[in-house]
Amino acid sequence: MSKSAFEVEVECECEACEKGKCDSADLVDVLSEREGLKEFYEEFKDSIHECRRLTYGQYLFVIDRDVLPEATLWWHNHPRFKETHMSTAVGTDERAIAGKFSYMPLINVQVEAENMDRNFWVLLKAYMPADDPSFPSVAAKLPAALWIEREVKDLLGFRPIGHPDPRRLILPEDWPEGVYPLRKDMDYRHSPMREPETEFREPPEGTTTVPMGPFHMGIEEPAHFRLFVKGEEIVDVDYRGFYSHRGIEKVGEGRLTYNQVLFLAERICGICGYQHSVSYAMAVERLADVDIPDRARYIRTLMLELERIHNHLLWVGIAAHMVGFDTGFMHAWRIREPVMWLVERLTGNRKQYGMNIVGGVRRDILDYRKEEILKVVKEIREGTKKFLDIALNTNTFIKRAEGVGILPYKIAKAYSVLGPTARASGRRIDARLDQATKTAMAYNEVDFKVPVYKEGDVLARVLVRMDELFESLWIVEQLIDQMPGGDIMVPIGKLPEYAEALGFTEAHRGEVLHYVMTGEKNKVYRWKVRAPTYNNLPAIPDMLRGYNVADAPLIIASIDPCYSCTERVQFVDVRTGRVRVLTEAEFNELSIKNRGVF
Amino acid sequence: MAESVSYTEKLKAWNRKEVEKIGEKAPVTTPYPFIDIEKPPEYRGIPHINPEKCVGCGACVNACPPDALIMEWDKEHGVKRLTYNAARCIRCARCIEVCPTGAMEPTTRFEIATNSKEDLVEVVEHRLAYCEECGEYLDFTERQIEYVKNILPKEIFDMYALEDRMKLTQDAKMRVTVEKLRELEGVEYPAYLLAKRGDE
Amino acid sequence: MYESLALKIAGIIVMVLLPPYLDGIARRVKARIQYRRGPPLAQTWYDLRKLFAIPTVLPTKSWMFKAAPYLALASALAAALLLPYGGHVPVNFGYNIIVFFYVVAMVSVFVMLGGFSVQNAFSHLGSAREMTLLLTVEPILAVVYGVFAYNSGSLNLYHIMTHLHLSASLLFAYIILGYALYVESGFVPFDVAEAEQEVIGGPLAEYSGRLLGVFYYAIYIKRFALLWFFVSMVTYPIVGPVHGLAKSVGLFALQLLLTFALYPIIAALEATNARLRIDHIVRTNVKIFFIGLGILAMAFMGW
Amino acid sequence: MALILEYAIIAFIIGGLMGFLREYRATTKASSFLAFIGSILVLIQVYDAYSKGGVSGSVLGLPVHIDGLSNVFLFIVGIVALGSALFSMSYMDHHEKRGKAWVYAVAYNTFIASMALVVTVNNLEWFVFSWELMTLSSFVLIFWKEEKKDLDASFKYYVTMHFFDTIPLFLLLALGSVLTGSIHNLSYSAIQQHLATASTAYKDAFYGLFLVVFMTKAGIVPLHYWLPDAHPAAPSNVSALLSGIMIKTAVYGLLRFDWSMAGPNVTLGYIVAGLGIATLTVGTLYALRETNSKRLLAYHSVGQMGYIWLGIGIGMALIPKGGTLAAIGALGLFAGLFHAINHAMFKGALFLEAGSVEYATGTVDLERLGGLGTKMKVTAVATLFASLAISGIPPFNGFISKWLIYVAGFRSGSYFLAFGAVMAAFISAATLASFIKFYTAQFGGEREDYRDVREVPAAMQIGEWILAGMTLFVGVFPFIFVSFLNRGTLAVSGLKAAVSSNVYKIGFQSISFLPLLFIILIGVLVFIGYASLKPRFDREVRPWDCGSTEIDAEGYRVSAGSYYLKYEEKIGHFYAFTDWAYSFGEAIVHYIVKVYVWIARYFVKIVDTPYEESEVESVDALHRCEVQYIDEETLRPLVRLLRIVRDVIGGIKLGTFVALTVVVVGAIVCLLVFL
């Protein structure tokens, strides 16, 4: 085939490529598949060691670590790819395979909004020698990298050179130096010994310190926002989180089989678990190169949308509660409840459906339940309309939400803010349509709009979510209508070893990203989870500054933060593989025994 | 199932709202701990091990993501112990899917609050098969062996030969094989076998 | 003589027992609006009983911290004792509308003093908010005193109640009075001082157990006193001078009835509003104050 | 007939002579003690005059007449001076490092004596003499500390007083002598007689000039700008005198000259009430955002002065109308006088308390204070009493007088005066807000900085408690002051306020308040509450900080500056406007100073002294000059003498020297006038 034809009609002409079977494709072919790749290659020719397509729409470049910032910023600031953002980065201890560490920013390149066949992922992998795991920091120029670089510094012992804020992020301050949990040779006996000492920013002159959290009425999960206020006005904010870091990534690596990890993935989050489950399953399916049946795709999409519906309702309830509008809270949750009941009937559980399996779904949607779904959808639509009518006519509620917590577009983009928070600030992104979700979900076969608002305040976030909710209802109706027949799963045999792929969905908070690298014997070598809150939270100080203490809970809630998603300490005993909690006596014993170590 | 309504019919008819007999404007809350909550028939509660069906194969243990199911061998007492801990269970029902005999039974129970943690643990003990040759316990349970015997197509396998060898430990099996060979061919024990035994 | 005593005692019983039940009614009404079942009517009493049974955790050595709840309770009760129950006032220590509002304000004063006595930014923020609230309500109330004084020719509470004559300014004054009382009671959307999601209970953040119970009780009684004041202001001008047992009892029943009728309305207002911010409240109240000055001018023009 | 007052004045003079004791502590203690004796004698004189219904006589040759009105103010002088004098005995140790005890001894006693004379003398000349003496001695006391900003404040004070007080007063002396035909016959009665028949132009000039004089002294808006600087500059015991007594003398003057002497005037009444409304609003709302405790109190002095003027204004406006309105007017006047007494008590107590905190911690900055409640219990309770009293919380005295002002305002039947009452009620809440801040910022919470702070010495505690205890006592038993005050109103207006009062009740017509019953009721209710719900305490814990680790306890509080920021923001226009007015006042002072300097230069040219022309442009330049008074040439011999004295008494600072000189100069000027 000719090269130009290849470019234009890539999906129909190259079935193999679509499935990501183009391992044999040569460099020129790979680079000409998507816009910008060649340009990038020309620009950084000298520093690129390897260039390969992982699977459909995911391109991996192995580059020198010295050009990491330039390469990342090249994509991020590309004039044509306006909504391109650095999603996250993955640090891996590849000493067992390559004898090196690797650090890899993941860039979501947006050539054209809502066109999943033109947009693609770029993975910029940089190897670092085992004795000197350092790389030039991107964070100084790109705030989106602030947290992830602190994370790899904490968990893997990488040194981001020139990072503006090199405090600890994930590990507690009393964690011993030189022990890096995500390294493969981590010794499990190391444990915190002292009362934690936390580093905080110095309060500005003449301010009151208001600790918002870890246990505060306005924050559902432990997180600590240190507000420096003058009177009621917030002058500055410091954040300390990761109180509920569970080490899930570590648990998933090595010990569990890929199907067991799936259930673990579902339990990352209490309310968007299915998104994680689908993302993980998608990543594994992509690297195993398996096509799942259409019916499974539809069922997955259906469940995802149902989850979005009840999550948006949940959120709007919380938002109402944060400003003392308890009636709004109660009604939002009352409207939400039928979805839970419905889901309970479809999957067997209100939450944590356990519906997925790598290669498909576990339960079929029986025909008579379709009516029920439609009934619930109708109920929800009416209920929500009525609710919105009331809530948006509650003067006091609008007063609290309007013009509060404004996040400008530029800051949203710089922090790679995702999901409804970004869309309320004018970012036109939605992972359902932006990237190739068609192998795991059926979004390419339904019709829906992505609401975008430009105001950037809390009210805009409410409206974005409510608009999305109605779109989701419409999607559900379409899915029921178009639901194809057939199998609901395909078996997956042995996974290829040391293959990498990304899986992603658009959760109700934004894009969920799972990176999976397989190991030997159907196990997972590296599993990286990035929940949307991870990108949204760093932007909160910018939203809070200049507003009141009274607004703080609402602003914090407005991004719909999920700390447990974000902070993925329990101790895992590697010999028995069992999670156990140390008793105090054991603890003391350990500390005496290991005194020499520290 | 004593009811006359069939299971499918029951599934179709189940509606929480009707069950609770709540009108359009009435409160949606229920005085929960004082009344019984109706679970939908599809509800995936904590599983339950049916000791009568369980053969102790351990398929569930392999599939269980959170280690709620644990298998222990107690060779001294000749017991294989399958422990299920509901406190650890995440109700994914993988064990039910993989169980070859249907011994893991789904329930709609969800309330596991209790005063003592022991209430949450189910233990099934299986007798291990006994090696007639050397007097040690095998890794397999007696039921496992029975089960295997039942499902193997009898027309292919020589059941008698199988039965002879099934209840032997690895070592005994080897010895028996060698003995059989020697009977057939009249040769001595191979040297390596002897050496290995001596080491132990 | 005996009937007066009986009514006074009835009044005292009402002021002591009723306020938590009124809160119970409010909770039921709110529950109904939210499609919930709601707790039993005596739930607030149960809550208080539970709080009374728990010892207080002390975050400071300050004596003010320990004394404030009792002083607040005494002030609230004193304010309630000053109001007429079926035409009879239990303890009359001030024939005066201003005295009543000052005594009511004392409850807030002691709440604030208690809140400020600990080293806690949330308490301080809440207390400062409470003060700001008081600061913006007081001028509105002052306008109402002015209208009533001019309309009835006195500042005596009972003289006002019995000598008001109907005029446009008086009706407006009633509306403003109702608003001011609602704000001073600290109902949603004016519950900024104790906003749980923002300042985790404000001045009461550090209180626990029995002292917290005493504070809550004082606040319920204060709300009751303000409501009862409004109810009396409505019923007395209608009924006119009270003579004889039958009329007294009837009036008392009318007061009770109106209280029970108004509390659900308050609850409904509470349920259908979000909490305002303190700057919203200041802005609104300053506006209402200027409107009030207009109403005062109307009153002096004889409208 | 020798008056007890004479002995009092003699006691003060001896107190001043105690300056000859060279040792600092001995000097301050002895002079304070004699001031204490003098204050007691003043109070005895008050009782004497009250029981005799007014006395006349002479004090050291000065004609004195103590009628009901004088008596009220003499009481204020006595009671505040008593508390302050006791307080000074220990408090002055705090300023030991500054030395100059003799200056303090002279000025302090002169100040009290002059104020006692101001309110009692019976002759305009002597009134002016005592008035100038009061101004000068207070000026000396204000810059006694000789810190840079204190000097600025004192100059501002002095220049303002000179321009708005001394000049109009001398004009009035001239006016009086023209009116009566002789400079030697300026007794009050004589002026009154002549004024009764004088033309309206005379009267208007009389009203206007006196109004300006007393507005300035009382710190009435827009001439209040000197007060918030001057009062905090002085030592706290002197601030108590300044706020407690000195500004009240302006009220006395207003009543004596603008009303009693010149006769009531409805227009003037409305003007006074209007000034009162403006003053109470501006003063208190400014106090709301102040974080220096003494400045805060000084602004409140302005605000509370507004209340007094409002009350007097109501009286002045309504009494001429006759009938019921006259009764209400008399009530307003009564309430104004009552508030003057009450203000003297609680403001005196509050300044003394601010002094105690300064003594114990060394600072008056509310932002830095905190946590003293558990350390200084006695002071804390005294402050709480005085704070509740000034906020008008029953059953303290402030409530009674404020309440009577509201009653008078609301019943006045005039929209303007009713508006005044509305503002007064509003400002009462603002006062409460301000004092909640004042009290809690100092005594609330816990602070590590002041862990070792101890309670102040007994003398200071007693000094505070004399005044703080009076706030409660007067609040519970207001009746004891009713007839006392009614003599005052009688002396001013010829009317008694129809305040019904007995042991447990105070009221006006059907509006009454039973403070005794109230306090008993509260006591009983607290007791019942306490007895039935006796507090049970669990362990002691740190304040709840949301479980965050290592929160900095010092920063975990709302600092005094940010209590009501939102409110202050919302009424920002008000502040912007009055700030503008304030800077306007400052500009006036600035230009007056320029004129003075110009005049000084002119004099200098005449007498040809070596001034550097370029240097003398402003007050600051004057500071820098070695020689800085304009009358030097005329007083050369005296200055020479003083210079010798200065050289002999080594180590005296320039400022002190100047002060002394100014006192002498002022005295000589007065003498010249008198001759």
Side-chain angles (χ1 to χ4, degrees), chain C residues 56 60 70 93 96 102 119 206, chain D residues 403 428 446 533 536 538 553:
Chain C
T56 302
T60 173
Y70 295 99
F93 56 84
N96 191 331
Y102 263 87
Q119 183 86 2
E206 283 297 338
Chain D
W403 168 62
S428 185
E446 317 266 331
L533 296 165
R536 287 165 40 211
D538 206 332

Side-chain angles (χ1 to χ4, degrees), chain A residues 255-256 259-260 263 267 334 341 344-345 347-349 352-354 357 362-363 368-369 379 577-578, chain B residues 11-12 14-17 28 40 42-44 62-65 67 70 88 90 92-94 97:
Chain A
R255 194 177 68 79
L256 302 177
N259 256 335
Q260 286 176 321
F263 291 95
R267 273 147 190 86
R334 176 184 58 80
W341 291 341
E344 192 176 19
R345 301 211 56 198
T347 70
N349 219 334
Q352 267 132 21
Y353 310 139
I357 196 93
R362 289 166 70 195
R363 283 199 191 193
Y368 71 87
R369 294 211 185 108
E379 215 171 275
R578 239 156 254 149
Chain B
L11 279 182
K12 282 185 184 177
W14 191 86
N15 186 330
R16 179 169 286 183
K17 280 197 173 176
V28 290
E42 301 95 332
Y43 181 72
R44 208 171 55 223
N62 283 338
C64 184
D67 289 333
I70 298 167
R88 235 177 231 168
I90 60 170
C92 63
R94 280 289 283 164
E97 275 180 2

Side-chain angles (χ1 to χ4, degrees), chain A residues 318-389:
Chain A
I318 296 271
H321 175 65
M322 285 301 158
V323 293
F325 186 32
D326 279 346
T327 307
F329 166 68
M330 294 289 174
H331 281 282
W333 283 47
R334 176 184 58 80
I335 297 164
R336 169 185 184 245
E337 199 58 24
V339 190
M340 311 298 289
W341 291 341
L342 174 70
V343 167
E344 192 176 19
R345 301 211 56 198
L346 293 179
T347 70
N349 219 334
R350 290 162 61 86
K351 279 309 317 164
Q352 267 132 21
Y353 310 139
M355 188 73 167
N356 257 353
I357 196 93
V358 177
V361 290
R362 289 166 70 195
R363 283 199 191 193
D364 203 354
I365 304 275
L366 302 175
D367 277 346
Y368 71 87
R369 294 211 185 108
K370 286 184 181 170
E371 296 161 23
E372 214 156 294
I373 296 170
L374 291 176
K375 214 168 78 191
V376 170
V377 163
K378 210 178 141 205
E379 215 171 275
I380 303 251
R381 182 174 281 136
E382 281 166 7
T384 314
K385 266 187 187 154
K386 212 187 268 175
F387 169 78
L388 271 184
D389 200 31

Side-chain angles (χ1 to χ4, degrees), chain A residues 48 61 116 178 250 284 294 299 308 384 388 401 485 494 597:
Chain A
I48 293 174
F61 291 91
M116 63 174 74
K250 183 75 176 173
V284 176
D294 280 348
I299 292 174
R308 188 184 321 282
T384 314
L388 271 184
K494 201 170 168 343
V597 179

Side-chain angles (χ1 to χ4, degrees), chain D residues 148-321:
Chain D
K148 174 73 178 71
K149 64 178 181 3
D150 299 350
L151 285 177
D152 284 352
S154 60
F155 266 91
K156 200 162 149 191
Y157 170 61
Y158 193 68
V159 169
T160 313
M161 286 306 140
H162 201 101
F163 196 77
F164 289 111
D165 262 22
T166 313
I167 292 173
L169 276 175
F170 277 69
L171 288 175
L172 279 163
L173 276 178
L175 202 65
S177 59
V178 169
L179 201 64
T180 56
S182 159
I183 191 90
H184 297 293
N185 189 14
L186 288 175
S187 74
Y188 295 164
S189 50
I191 297 174
Q192 192 172 0
Q193 276 169 18
H194 285 92
L195 208 59
T197 54
S199 67
T200 41
Y202 266 118
K203 267 192 163 176
D204 288 347
F206 209 77
Y207 281 132
L209 285 172
F210 269 125
L211 189 63
V212 169
V213 171
F214 300 129
M215 266 171 74
T216 316
K217 201 68 176 181
I220 295 298
V221 172
L223 297 175
H224 69 292
Y225 52 83
W226 60 273
L227 201 151
D229 293 332
H231 284 203
S236 292
N237 53 344
V238 179
S239 308
L241 295 183
L242 290 170
S243 259
I245 316 172
M246 190 183 83
I247 56 175
K248 306 292 186 311
T249 58
V251 177
Y252 168 78
L254 184 76
L255 292 170
R256 174 67 74 197
F257 297 105
D258 263 351
W259 190 343
S260 168
M261 196 186 279
N265 182 327
V266 176
T267 320
L268 187 68
Y270 279 112
I271 291 171
V272 168
L275 287 171
I277 297 167
T279 305
L280 65 91
T281 315
V282 171
T284 311
L285 289 182
Y286 266 75
L288 194 60
R289 63 174 194 182
E290 205 48 69
T291 57
N292 176 313
S293 74
K294 285 175 78 176
R295 263 184 87 84
L296 184 147
L297 293 175
Y299 266 121
H300 273 296
S301 293
V302 176
Q304 298 298 313
M305 217 55 202
Y307 274 97
I308 298 168
W309 279 52
L310 175 62
I312 289 169
I314 291 171
M316 211 186 272
L318 292 184
I319 284 176
K321 292 185 178 172

Side-chain angles (χ1 to χ4, degrees), chain D residues 571-642:
Chain D
I571 58 167
H573 294 300
F574 167 80
Y575 284 122
F577 176 72
T578 34
D579 274 344
W580 175 79
Y582 187 86
S583 59
F584 187 70
E586 297 256 271
I588 289 174
V589 175
H590 179 74
Y591 286 112
I592 291 169
V593 169
K594 279 223 158 164
V595 169
Y596 275 29
V597 170
W598 181 80
I599 292 170
R601 290 233 302 279
Y602 187 73
F603 271 115
V604 165
K605 267 183 196 156
I606 293 169
V607 295
D608 196 28
T609 39
Y611 268 119
E612 293 291 327
E613 290 217 355
S614 58
E615 279 188 14
V616 189
E617 284 286 317
S618 64
V619 179
D620 278 349
L622 272 175
H623 289 188
R624 283 195 299 274
C625 285
E626 174 76 10
V627 187
Q628 48 171 280
Y629 41 90
I630 56 172
D631 306 292
E632 185 187 358
E633 291 308 312
T634 49
L635 303 164
R636 194 186 287 276
L638 185 68
V639 174
R640 290 255 167 80
L641 183 73
L642 286 172

